Amino acid sequence: MQDFFQQVPAFMPSIQALAFNLVVTIAILVIGWTVSTVIGRGLRKLADRSPRIDPTIVPMVYTVTVWAIRVFVIIAVLARLGVQTASIIAVLGAAGLAIGLALQGTLQNIAAGIMLLALRPIRAGEYVSVKGQGDGTVAEVGLFLTKLIQFDGIHLTLPNSLVWNNPIINYSRNATRRLDIDVSVRYGDDLELAMRELRELIEHHADVLADPAPQVMVTEYRDSAAAVNMRVWVDNAKYWDLRFDLYRQAQSRLAAAGLQLPLPVREVRAHSGEPVQGV
């Protein structure tokens, strides 16, 4: 035991070097992790303040930036501990190839996310419909997933590959949008009067755009009524308000003009069923 204590001073330089190296390693890890988070948040705040940066790309840029810094930090930590990083990088490359082959679907989502951000068929804040998958307002296009908020407040999360590989209908991209409203006018009523009343309604409505000019036309003859179509153009933000208002006013406008609501009519014919007398 006395010999052990006598040899301790000889090991002190090595112990001190190891302790110092460990403290420096922990400091690099903590500082690097903190710096990655700060830089990521700074980029997000900068993007939120700039009107020139599309909000759609912010989540993906944040994720890529943060983890790129953290990967370099981990490599620096391993190098500080004396680990041969060249061999680790080679092993990680081989492992990445194997994982990539096993997770082809995940890589497809990443590639699809990059294409969505590069070509921008959808952007944050736009109302879109992904054919066969769902519709809603785009909340985020991430590295793996696209998040939509449906009109009833339900969050819909779709893998990027499903969004990219299906037809996308974007209802918000254009500043204006066409609105078609069908009104039924029963047979026997004055069709020309009905069309004049509906034309006056849309021509004097504050939300209907004058260019392109609004139209009123007969589009179909149904079983008990003629279908009269009101075709107007409206600012995208006012589309639903105008739609609901025209449906409310059209019927009351026709009723005030003396036109009645068309009802289904069925003609029933009866015969006596008596046998025909032969000659």
Side-chain angles (χ1 to χ4, degrees):
M1 181 64 68
Q2 186 176 1
D3 293 339
F4 174 76
F5 284 110
Q6 290 178 351
Q7 294 177 358
V8 167
F11 292 105
M12 285 302 296
S14 300
I15 295 175
Q16 291 176 352
L18 180 61
F20 177 78
N21 202 19
L22 184 61
V23 170
V24 173
T25 301
I26 294 175
I28 293 175
L29 184 61
V30 172
I31 294 173
W33 218 262
T34 303
V35 168
S36 67
T37 303
V38 171
I39 292 177
R41 291 177 179 175
L43 286 176
R44 175 172 289 179
K45 290 181 180 179
L46 182 63
D48 291 340
R49 294 174 182 175
S50 176
R52 298 183 179 180
I53 299 178
D54 191 341
T56 311
I57 68 173
V58 175
M60 182 175 290
V61 172
Y62 171 82
T63 302
V64 172
T65 301
V66 168
W67 282 105
I69 296 174
R70 289 177 179 179
V71 167
F72 282 111
V73 170
I74 293 173
I75 294 176
V77 167
L78 293 176
R80 183 70 187 183
L81 293 176
V83 179
Q84 295 295 327
T85 56
S87 58
I88 291 179
I89 293 174
V91 172
L92 290 176
L97 179 60
I99 294 173
L101 293 175
L103 300 176
Q104 294 183 16
T106 302
L107 294 179
Q108 288 179 359
N109 289 329
I110 295 176
I114 294 173
M115 296 302 295
L116 288 173
L117 293 175
L119 300 181
R120 297 186 180 182
I122 61 176
R123 297 177 181 175
E126 293 181 334
Y127 189 87
V128 301
S129 175
V130 181
K131 197 74 179 265
Q133 305 301 326
D135 52 14
T137 302
V138 180
E140 177 183 323
V141 178
L143 196 60
F144 302 99
L145 303 170
T146 297
K147 298 179 181 179
L148 305 178
I149 302 177
Q150 296 180 314
F151 69 93
D152 53 1
I154 296 177
H155 285 247
L156 176 64
T157 303
L158 298 173
N160 288 338
S161 57
L162 286 182
V163 179
W164 177 251
N165 292 325
N166 284 285
I168 299 173
I169 302 174
N170 194 320
Y171 294 99
S172 302
R173 184 59 56 91
N174 293 336
T176 59
R177 185 174 170 186
R178 197 183 81 184
L179 170 62
D180 289 83
I181 299 289
D182 281 339
V183 179
S184 297
V185 178
R186 72 173 189 167
Y187 298 126
D189 281 346
D190 191 339
L191 183 59
E192 293 299 326
L193 174 61
M195 294 180 66
R196 285 197 302 270
E197 291 291 332
L198 295 176
R199 185 177 294 108
E200 184 179 353
L201 170 63
I202 60 177
E203 288 178 350
H204 293 84
H205 200 290
D207 293 337
V208 174
L209 298 178
D211 186 22
Q215 295 175 292
V216 176
M217 65 199 80
V218 178
T219 56
E220 185 181 0
Y221 291 109
R222 298 171 181 168
D223 292 338
S224 57
V228 179
N229 177 265
M230 294 185 294
R231 178 172 296 176
V232 300
W233 285 83
V234 58
D235 289 336
N236 212 318
K238 299 180 180 179
Y239 177 86
W240 289 106
D241 291 337
L242 179 61
R243 181 183 178 88
F244 297 145
D245 192 53
L246 287 182
Y247 268 120
R248 179 181 62 85
Q249 292 195 43
Q251 195 60 54
S252 60
R253 188 73 176 247
L254 294 182
L259 305 178
Q260 299 181 13
L261 181 69
L263 298 174
V265 176
R266 295 291 184 269
E267 183 178 346
V268 180
R269 297 184 179 181
H271 58 86
S272 62
E274 296 179 358
V276 178
Q277 296 286 336
V279 178

